[in-house]
Amino acid sequence: MTKLSNRVLEMEESVTLAAGARAKALKAQGRDILSLTLGEPDFVTPKNIQEAATRSIVDGSASFYTVASGLPELKAAVNTYMENFYGYSVAPNQVVAATGAKFILYAFFAAVINPGDEVIIPTPYWVSYADQIKMNEGVPVFVKATEENHFKVTAQQLEAARTDKTKVVLLNSPSNPTGMVYGHEELEAIGNWAVEHDILILADDIYGRLVYNGATFTPISSLSEAIRQQTIVVNGVAKAYSMTGWRVGFAVGDPEIIGAMSKIIGQTTSNLTTVAQYAAIEAFTGPQDAVETMRQAFEERLNTIYPLLNDVPGFEVVKPQGAFYLFPNVTKAMEMKGYTDVTAFTTAILEEVGVALVTGAGFGAPENVRLSYATDLDTLKEAVRRLHVFMEK
Ligand code: PMP
Ligand code: GLU
């Protein structure tokens, strides 16, 4: 008899982390693998941030615990960030930091979900949302964002999914995995709908700084006072500052919910690693030009690789406006090669031509695969060349 809890038995492994780990393991065995799996920028963390972290180690400030929710200086730095990129200020009791945006999300669900509460998630969705909700005895309710509607849901669709158990609606714009970005009016309609029905908005804005070709990121929390009060913003440093390994996430919003999340953090991880807090302070308050340099590199990669990928037989891609993923529909490609299951199709690509992608299955999209273009152009071009080889075999 298994010793494991039902909770963990019912949980899926993160398909992104699993695909990344498999690619690494095959490479370690000497296989020639190109990994387009993880959404992880290939740049080293900017120098000014490294130096601020080093200073905090050498002068001893990084040696100690901080309050569980984060250093007062970090909360002030988050306020600076919010003023610069959201256009409004936040008080210290509206800010909490933790070990990655991923754990911030978990703390949020743990703080607000009672058994049976429903969280509306537009699909395709990032892999960890549904399992985190289930781990907290909530019920994910999926609303399909169709390719025809550029992978966006409307307020009408949300209304059709609403029940008296609906507690939260989750928005992730720019989106992982589709890269789509919601516009001002679309967000206003969704925000007003949430306010009208007293539904919390969880805005996962982690890709907000990464938009391309003139697209703009509109934070839903910036649209009106009423919408802001209904919204918990989740953000972090991983994507925009190339700091995935530092594990810094934060949330901003209603002091009661932020306080509850801080209590959960205090009883689980305690404070976010102190040295990482000093790094994040510098990220939010120091020069921002490295972010723009990296954004431009992603934009160039997107503009180069998107038409090449669309040319691969059977791959059909909606051009994304943000994040760093391409999410082709491979229905035709699977038909051409005789596959009905996208995970088997993804595995065959890995085995036959050494290109590691992520199956769309974990994103609630069994007709798609995900490629991350947070890697160098030569690798991306070679990967697309190999996809041609695979399809034309
Ligand atoms: N939200 C989304 C949509 C993501 O893609 C990720 C992946 N990094 C996270 C949250 C978690 O970010 P972090 O690395 O800060 O935990
Ligand atoms: N969020 C990234 C991705 O989707 C990193 C992996 C993870 O956190 O799941 O690839």
Side-chain angles (χ1 to χ4, degrees), residues 88 94 195 221-231:
Y88 62 88
Q94 291 182 279
V195 170
S221 58
S222 70
L223 294 181
S224 74
E225 187 54 39
I227 295 175
R228 184 174 320 153
Q229 283 181 14
Q230 206 71 26
T231 305

Side-chain angles (χ1 to χ4, degrees), residues 147-148 150-151 178 306 310 316-320 326-329:
E147 284 176 42
E148 297 75 60
H150 294 268
F151 288 122
T178 68
Y306 166 76
N310 236 347
E316 295 173 321
V317 203
V318 179
K319 189 169 184 184
L326 288 157
F327 200 57
N329 183 308

Side-chain angles (χ1 to χ4, degrees), residues 198-246:
D198 194 20
I199 292 166
L200 288 169
I201 301 165
L202 177 58
D204 181 346
D205 293 347
I206 194 137
Y207 297 98
R209 302 282 291 283
L210 300 176
V211 289
Y212 313 115
N213 300 312
T216 45
F217 162 62
T218 307
I220 191 167
S221 58
S222 70
L223 294 181
S224 74
E225 187 54 39
I227 295 175
R228 184 174 320 153
Q229 283 181 14
Q230 206 71 26
T231 305
I232 295 287
V233 171
V234 173
N235 212 322
V237 299
K239 313 297 173 171
Y241 297 92
S242 201
M243 291 177 69
T244 48
W246 295 82

Side-chain angles (χ1 to χ4, degrees), residues 100-102 105 126 129 172 176 204 206-207 238-239 247-248 325:
K102 198 180 256 182
L105 288 163
W126 179 50
Y129 298 140
N172 173 219
N176 176 4
D204 181 346
I206 194 137
Y207 297 98
K239 313 297 173 171
R247 312 304 306 126
V248 178
Y325 308 103

Side-chain angles (χ1 to χ4, degrees), residues 7-342:
R7 184 182 305 112
V8 81
L9 289 172
E10 280 161 21
M11 222 173 117
E12 304 280 344
E13 185 178 5
S14 159
V15 293
T16 46
L17 297 189
R22 177 148 172 75
K24 275 196 190 124
L26 288 174
K27 261 193 206 172
Q29 289 167 18
R31 292 271 308 272
D32 171 22
I33 303 292
L34 303 176
S35 179
L36 309 187
T37 52
L38 284 186
E40 170 159 57
D42 54 329
F43 305 103
V44 168
T45 303
K47 194 114 195 115
N48 60 310
I49 300 174
Q50 295 177 9
E51 285 169 356
T54 308
R55 273 196 305 276
S56 78
I57 294 174
V58 174
D59 73 17
S61 358
S63 305
F64 306 104
Y65 290 133
T66 72
V67 277
S69 57
L71 286 162
E73 297 90 325
L74 176 58
K75 293 177 187 174
V78 168
N79 178 49
T80 303
Y81 187 87
M82 297 305 288
E83 286 176 346
N84 289 341
F85 299 106
Y86 286 68
Y88 62 88
S89 310
V90 288
N93 67 351
Q94 291 182 279
V95 182
V96 59
T99 310
K102 198 180 256 182
F103 192 70
I104 280 283
L105 288 163
Y106 185 86
F108 169 80
F109 294 128
V112 304
I113 289 179
N114 281 319
D117 283 349
E118 294 177 358
V119 179
I120 299 182
I121 309 180
T123 61
Y125 58 89
W126 179 50
V127 293
S128 295
Y129 298 140
D131 277 286
Q132 290 199 356
I133 292 162
K134 289 190 225 157
M135 282 154 80
N136 286 293
E137 298 182 74
V139 180
V141 174
F142 300 108
V143 172
K144 191 170 163 70
T146 60
E147 284 176 42
E148 297 75 60
N149 197 31
H150 294 268
F151 288 122
K152 296 182 207 179
V153 296
T154 60
Q156 288 75 12
Q157 282 181 283
L158 298 177
E159 176 58 15
R162 184 173 65 84
T163 72
D164 57 2
K165 294 261 183 213
T166 308
K167 184 108 181 222
V168 181
V169 60
L170 197 157
L171 280 182
N172 173 219
S173 169
S175 151
N176 176 4
T178 68
M180 66 77 225
V181 179
Y182 282 83
H184 190 291
E185 274 146 41
E186 296 159 331
L187 289 172
E188 206 160 49
I190 293 173
N192 289 338
W193 166 83
V195 170
E196 186 186 336
H197 300 289
D198 194 20
I199 292 166
L200 288 169
I201 301 165
L202 177 58
D204 181 346
D205 293 347
I206 194 137
Y207 297 98
R209 302 282 291 283
L210 300 176
V211 289
Y212 313 115
N213 300 312
T216 45
F217 162 62
T218 307
I220 191 167
S221 58
S222 70
L223 294 181
S224 74
E225 187 54 39
I227 295 175
R228 184 174 320 153
Q229 283 181 14
Q230 206 71 26
T231 305
I232 295 287
V233 171
V234 173
N235 212 322
V237 299
K239 313 297 173 171
Y241 297 92
S242 201
M243 291 177 69
T244 48
W246 295 82
R247 312 304 306 126
V248 178
F250 69 86
V252 160
D254 172 56
E256 189 186 17
I257 295 176
I258 294 295
M261 291 169 67
S262 306
K263 188 159 87 176
I264 290 161
I265 288 159
Q267 290 285 36
T268 50
T269 61
S270 288
N271 64 272
L272 162 63
T273 316
T274 306
V275 63
Q277 295 193 47
Y278 283 103
I281 292 168
E282 176 63 19
F284 296 146
T285 57
Q288 302 292 306
D289 39 307
V291 177
E292 176 55 15
T293 306
M294 293 188 276
R295 191 201 64 78
Q296 284 174 10
F298 294 133
E299 184 172 82
E300 189 199 348
R301 292 168 185 181
L302 167 65
N303 291 340
T304 307
I305 213 69
Y306 166 76
L308 301 179
L309 186 67
N310 236 347
D311 251 14
V312 175
F315 280 58
E316 295 173 321
V317 203
V318 179
K319 189 169 184 184
Q321 301 162 291
F324 33 56
Y325 308 103
L326 288 157
F327 200 57
N329 183 308
V330 291
T331 308
K332 290 197 181 131
M334 287 201 289
E335 259 169 43
M336 289 160 73
K337 297 288 287 185
Y339 287 92
T340 50
D341 173 56
V342 76

